[in-house]
């Protein structure tokens, strides 16, 4: 492989743009082939495809590929290719978070559902946040950058562990026909609130980090709040005719496609300029989209395949290039990783399980939801990549949290099936009230 890449480089014309293309395209081919193979292998062992793609990104990094074939990896991912991968992954994340925001359905189902979902969300966020922050304080001297204050570091660890992989949870429930059952609706709404709170926390932490403390962060926080209000109160009403048109015609035409591409990219540019990263802009752009089910269905059908198949594997690989699992070898590092993993798992799993039980669900249903809510998938990878890019965390902590993402995501389905076998799902499925066909997220979603 090294010889092939070098030969292509020598054969490249004097045009530097074409020379760069001849470097980027082989990298993309290898990324997509590896992601496809690992994703298929994950499906063969009854895991979501995204888990295999996450693992593929790690395998292409220094942990395996760079260790076995360092010259080939250096030739495939040279320094001038990595910025291109970063740009592609940023566009992919912005559009992906846009689709996540656009796919949320907060319409009321049953009386008191919003209150119950808030209880479930709080039970998933608070224990994970507190336990994660406690672990962060304990491990501050070992894992933190010296310029990051202890409380900011602790809150970052807690925030990362409080996330739930909302799109993966949605896909699992849709596949099993549970999306309109009380269990399914509460889980989806609770997970969406979980993630929204975590993104808000990250926005504040990023603003504090870039703004030299709380006082210096106030302008960034204020601008972020103004941006969110404008998106939800000004932009959203302007987009309603687009939703009505799609509902009437059943299609999203060329003009509509320009709108749904330009809005999240422009929003991402604005939030990047504000200082809170483009994924926040993409997410709020999604929240501003029309809320009718027909529009969401068409939007996901047009965009999710391209985003999840082409752009997200690039992000996983870019994350993998920063993941050095060898850096967490040694007794103290292994113990630190186990403490972070235990804090994240216990806070989310037992917190959500006990909350579901308190809301009147059976123990089996409660533990099933606890297992699903404990999966972190792609969401935590986005979270920690922002932290690494903003120099809020070290590469050692980054690698540990990547491993937490893989393990908790891999454990979601086994824990769910252990608690709620298929024969017991039938009674749960029958309790849901009939509803329109929901938006189906791509099986690649996490």
């Amino acid at each position: 492989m090294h010889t092939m890449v070098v030969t292509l480089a020598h054969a490249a014309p004097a045009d530097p743009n074409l020379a760069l293309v001849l470097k980027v395209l082989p990298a993309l081919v290898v990324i997509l082939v590896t992601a496809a193979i690992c994703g298929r292998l994950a499906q063969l062992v009854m895991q979501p495809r995204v888990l295999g793609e996450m693992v593929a990104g790690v395998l292409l990094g220094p942990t395996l590929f760079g260790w076995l074939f360092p010259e080939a990896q250096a030739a495939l991912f040279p320094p001038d290719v990595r910025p291109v991968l970063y740009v592609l992954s940023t566009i992919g994340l912005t559009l992906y978070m846009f689709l996540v925001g656009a796919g949320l359905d907060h319409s009321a189902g049953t009386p008191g559902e919003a209150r119950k979902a808030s209880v479930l969300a709080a039970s998933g966020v608070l224990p994970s946040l507190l336990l994660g922050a406690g672990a962060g304080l304990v491990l501050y001297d070992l894992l933190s950058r010296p310029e990051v204050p202890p409380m900011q570091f602790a809150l970052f660890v807690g925030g990362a562990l409080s996330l739930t992989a909302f799109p993966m949870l949605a896909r699992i429930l849709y596949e099993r026909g549970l999306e309109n059952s009380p269990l399914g609706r509460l889980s989806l709404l609770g997970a969406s609130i979980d993630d929204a709170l975590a993104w808000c926390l990250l926005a504040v932490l990023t603003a504090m980090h870039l703004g030299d403390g709380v006082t210096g962060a106030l302008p960034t926080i204020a601008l972020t709040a103004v941006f969110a209000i404008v998106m939800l109160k000004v932009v959203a009403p302007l987009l309603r005719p687009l939703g009505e048109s799609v509902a009437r015609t059943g299609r999203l035409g060329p003009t509509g496609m320009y709108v749904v591409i330009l809005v999240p990219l422009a929003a991402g540019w604005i939030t990047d300029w504000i200082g809170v990263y483009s994924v926040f802009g993409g997410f709020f752009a999604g929240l501003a989209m029309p809320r009718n089910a027909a529009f969401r269905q068409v939007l996901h059908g047009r965009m999710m395949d391209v985003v999840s198949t082409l752009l997200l594997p690039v992000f996983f690989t870019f994350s993998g290039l920063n993941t050095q699992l060898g850096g967490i070898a040694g007794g103290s590092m292994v113990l630190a990783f186990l403490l972070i993993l235990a804090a994240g798992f216990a806070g989310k799993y037992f917190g959500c399980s006990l909350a579901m039980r308190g809301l009147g669900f059976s123990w089996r249903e409660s533990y099933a939801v606890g297992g699903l809510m404990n999966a972190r998938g792609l969401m935590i990878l986005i979270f920690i990549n922002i932290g690494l890019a903003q120099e809020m965390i070290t590469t050692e902590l980054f690698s540990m949290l990547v491993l937490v993402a893989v393990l908790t995501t891999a454990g979601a389905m086994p824990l769910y099936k252990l608690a709620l076998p298929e024969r017991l799902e039938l009674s749960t499925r029958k309790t849901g009230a009939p509803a329109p066909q929901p938006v189906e997220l791509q099986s690649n979603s996490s």
Side-chain angles (χ1 to χ4, degrees):
M1 180 181 294
H2 175 62
T3 303
M4 178 186 70
V5 175
V6 171
T7 302
L8 285 174
H10 283 304
D15 183 354
N17 294 321
L18 182 56
L20 181 59
V21 168
L22 291 174
K23 292 180 181 179
V24 171
L25 291 182
L28 289 178
V29 169
V30 171
I31 289 170
L32 295 181
V33 170
T34 307
I37 293 172
C38 291
R40 182 56 182 158
L41 291 175
Q43 289 180 314
L44 291 177
V45 293
M46 305 301 291
Q47 289 288 351
R49 194 173 75 198
V50 69
L51 178 65
E53 294 175 350
M54 290 167 60
V55 172
V58 175
L59 295 180
L60 288 174
T63 301
L64 183 66
F65 187 35
W67 176 57
L68 294 176
F69 309 104
E71 292 185 358
Q73 197 216 33
L76 190 64
F77 302 113
D80 52 346
V81 167
R82 297 192 183 203
V84 178
L85 298 182
Y86 175 76
V87 171
L88 289 175
S89 65
T90 299
I91 294 173
L93 291 181
T94 302
L95 293 178
Y96 180 80
M97 290 302 295
F98 163 70
L99 293 172
V100 170
L104 298 185
D105 182 9
H106 293 173
S107 58
T110 58
E113 186 176 65
R115 178 187 60 81
K116 292 178 180 179
S118 299
V119 171
L120 176 61
S123 71
V125 168
L126 291 178
S128 300
L129 182 62
L130 293 175
L131 290 175
L137 290 175
V138 170
L139 301 172
Y140 176 78
D141 291 334
L142 179 65
L143 293 177
S144 179
R145 293 177 176 271
E147 67 272 16
V148 177
M151 188 53 63
Q152 183 179 318
F153 176 78
L155 288 175
F156 184 92
V157 176
L161 296 179
S162 67
L163 283 160
T164 291
F166 166 78
M168 188 183 78
L169 172 64
R171 176 65 185 190
I172 292 171
L173 292 172
Y174 291 154
E175 284 181 345
R176 299 181 179 284
L178 297 175
E179 72 280 358
N180 292 311
S181 68
L183 178 149
R185 290 190 62 85
L186 279 183
S187 300
L188 288 173
L189 189 51
S192 66
I193 296 172
D194 264 14
D195 287 352
L197 292 174
W199 294 124
C200 290
L201 174 62
L202 182 58
V204 172
L205 291 175
T206 302
M208 290 174 60
H209 182 71
L210 299 177
D212 192 23
V214 177
T215 304
L218 288 179
T220 303
I221 295 172
L223 286 173
T224 304
V226 170
F227 167 80
I229 293 171
V230 169
M231 290 300 297
L232 299 178
K233 299 299 183 181
V234 178
V235 176
L238 295 176
L239 292 172
R240 285 175 190 160
L242 177 62
E244 295 168 358
S245 173
V246 172
R248 186 173 60 254
T249 63
R251 61 185 296 271
L252 187 62
T255 302
M257 281 303 299
Y258 276 115
V259 171
V260 299
I261 294 292
L262 286 172
V263 169
L265 292 183
W269 173 72
I270 292 171
T271 49
D272 256 337
W273 175 79
I274 290 172
V276 292
Y277 211 72
S278 60
V279 295
F280 298 109
F283 183 68
F284 276 102
L287 294 179
M289 285 292 122
R291 309 312 302 165
N292 63 71
F295 176 82
R296 296 199 309 273
Q297 185 78 39
V298 172
L299 178 66
H300 278 259
R302 292 289 297 273
M303 291 183 63
M304 183 58 85
D305 285 344
V306 174
V307 172
S308 61
T309 302
L310 174 61
L311 298 176
L312 287 188
V314 176
F315 167 71
F316 292 134
T317 300
F318 189 81
S319 299
L321 294 176
N322 294 315
T323 303
Q324 175 54 276
L325 296 182
I328 60 176
S332 60
M333 286 296 187
V334 171
L335 290 176
F337 164 71
L338 292 176
L339 177 61
I340 293 173
L341 178 63
F345 177 83
K348 184 73 74 170
Y349 183 73
F350 293 110
C352 291
S353 297
L354 292 174
M356 290 294 287
R357 180 59 180 164
L359 292 173
F361 291 86
S362 70
W363 278 115
R364 282 188 173 274
E365 291 173 326
S366 301
Y367 284 130
V369 171
L372 292 178
M373 295 283 283
N374 200 47
R376 289 166 178 86
L378 174 60
M379 294 302 191
I380 189 175
L381 292 185
I382 300 174
F383 196 98
I384 64 178
N385 267 275
I386 295 174
L388 187 66
Q390 303 290 355
E391 297 186 342
M392 287 191 280
I393 61 174
T394 61
T395 54
E396 289 81 7
L397 179 61
F398 178 86
S399 299
M400 290 181 185
L401 291 174
V402 169
L403 200 52
V404 168
V406 172
L407 292 177
T408 56
T409 304
M413 279 307 298
L415 288 171
Y416 175 86
K417 291 182 177 180
L418 181 65
L420 200 64
E422 190 169 349
R423 59 185 174 82
L424 297 176
E425 269 189 340
L426 295 175
S427 60
T428 304
R429 189 179 297 121
K430 291 175 181 177
T431 59
Q437 179 68 25
V439 176
E440 183 172 311
L441 294 180
Q442 231 283 353
S443 59
N444 195 4
S445 301
S446 64

